[in-house]
Amino acid sequence: METTASTIPTNTVGLSRTRRVRKAPTDEQREVQKTPESELMSVEEYFDMVWDRYLEKYEKLQD
C-alpha cells in the first residue's frame, strides 16, 4: 500500500466565504417620508387590535 502526503498545511485558518457589501442608498431610501401623527395609531389601539385577532384565532381553534 502506498502512502500519500497531503499538500494541505495543517495550520491553516478557515476564512469566511461570505462578504458583506454595502449597497449605495437609492433615491427612495434617502427620501423617507414620515407619516403624520394624525394617521398613527396609539399603543392601546394597536394592542387592542392584536388582542382581538388573538381571540378570533383562539375561537376558531376551539370550534
Side-chain angles (χ1 to χ4, degrees), residues 51-63:
W51 181 249
D52 291 340
R53 286 186 183 176
Y54 169 78
L55 289 176
E56 287 174 11
K57 289 197 178 235
Y58 183 76
E59 287 174 1
K60 285 181 183 178
L61 290 173
Q62 295 300 317
D63 292 333

Side-chain angles (χ1 to χ4, degrees), residues 27-54:
D27 290 336
E28 293 175 2
Q29 291 173 339
R30 288 184 199 144
E31 298 176 14
V32 175
Q33 296 179 356
K34 295 186 178 180
T35 305
E37 282 194 39
S38 61
E39 294 181 14
L40 296 175
M41 70 173 63
S42 69
V43 174
E44 290 84 11
E45 289 174 328
Y46 175 77
F47 283 109
D48 284 341
M49 184 180 68
V50 171
W51 181 249
D52 291 340
R53 286 186 183 176
Y54 169 78

